[in-house]
């Protein structure tokens, strides 16, 4: 009888321990758009890796030519930083993706083919730039930086999946048609 009691206690404890992360956490709904661009929540969720309260902040001048910033926070802590830049010159994202660049520096940056005119990906973000037809000599650049926790090993495959969907969708949102 004592043996069954111990087994029952151990089983109950195991069930409780398995339930603790899921049962005690607050389920949040990942939005269907990030920084005014529609994106499948299944692509955004792995980058946030959290169950806290989400909020979105836009810099003044959002949507105007020049530079715009959009920050996604989880429980009031920055998780994703997105920069949207309109410029007249061609840039090399690899230059801005180097780890010592204070603006967009990425961990382990490398070229990412077949996304835009030029793109890079790192363990904690990505940057892509392209020319836009009908905008004169304008170029559009999107930089994504995962900022939630510097100690977490980031997932470049998840970042790449996100960017391969988000970059073309953002180009459509801002009116950038590739030549």
């Amino acid at each position: 009888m004592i043996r069954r009691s111990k087994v029952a206690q151990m089983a109950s404890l195991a069930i409780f321990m398995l339930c603790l992360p899921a049962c005690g956490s607050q389920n949040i709904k990942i939005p269907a758009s990030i920084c005014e661009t529609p994106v499948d929540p299944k692509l955004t969720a792995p980058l946030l890796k959290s169950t806290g309260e989400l909020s979105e902040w836009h810099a003044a001048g959002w949507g105007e030519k020049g530079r715009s910033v959009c920050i996604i926070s989880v429980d009031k802590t920055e998780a994703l930083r997105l920069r949207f830049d309109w410029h007249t010159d061609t840039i090399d994202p690899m230059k801005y993706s180097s780890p010592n660049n204070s603006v967009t520096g990425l961990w382990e940056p490398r070229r990412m083919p077949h996304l835009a005119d030029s793109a890079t990906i790192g363990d904690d973000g990505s940057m892509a730039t392209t020319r836009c037809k009908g905008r004169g000599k304008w170029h559009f650049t999107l930089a994504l930086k995962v900022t939630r926790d510097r100690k977490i090993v980031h997932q470049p495959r998840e970042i790449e999946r996100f960017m391969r969907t988000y970059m073309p969708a953002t180009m459509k949102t801002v009116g950038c048609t590739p030549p």
Side-chain angles (χ1 to χ4, degrees), residues 12-28 49-52:
S12 294
L13 180 60
I15 290 168
F16 173 74
M17 294 301 285
L18 287 172
C19 181
L20 190 59
C23 301
S25 69
Q26 171 188 36
N27 284 331
I28 62 163
K49 293 188 180 180
S50 178
T51 57

Side-chain angles (χ1 to χ4, degrees), residues 1 10 14 34 43 52 59 72 79 98 102 107 112 118-119 137 152 177:
M1 200 69 152
M10 293 301 286
I34 297 292
L43 295 172
I72 307 299
S98 71
S102 63
W107 294 345
M112 184 167 64
S118 186
K137 295 183 179 192
I152 294 174
T177 305

Side-chain angles (χ1 to χ4, degrees), residues 1 5 12 33 38 41 57 70 80-81 83 85 93 103-104 114 116 119 131 134 138 166 173-174 179:
M1 200 69 152
S5 190
S12 294
S33 72
W57 175 85
C70 177
L80 299 176
R81 176 179 292 260
R83 289 179 47 150
D85 289 299
V103 177
T104 315
H114 313 296
R131 291 168 290 140
W138 287 97
Y166 193 75
T173 297
V174 299

Side-chain angles (χ1 to χ4, degrees), residues 152-171:
I152 294 174
V153 176
H154 300 290
Q155 307 290 330
R157 278 186 238 126
E158 293 167 338
I159 292 168
E160 182 174 352
R161 280 186 214 117
F162 178 85
M163 280 295 283
R164 290 208 180 272
T165 298
Y166 193 75
M167 177 66 175
T170 300
M171 289 170 59

Side-chain angles (χ1 to χ4, degrees), residues 110-121 126-128 160 164:
R110 54 212 167 270
R111 298 255 180 223
M112 184 167 64
H114 313 296
L115 175 62
D117 289 347
S118 186
T120 58
I121 186 163
S126 179
M127 179 183 254
E160 182 174 352
R164 290 208 180 272

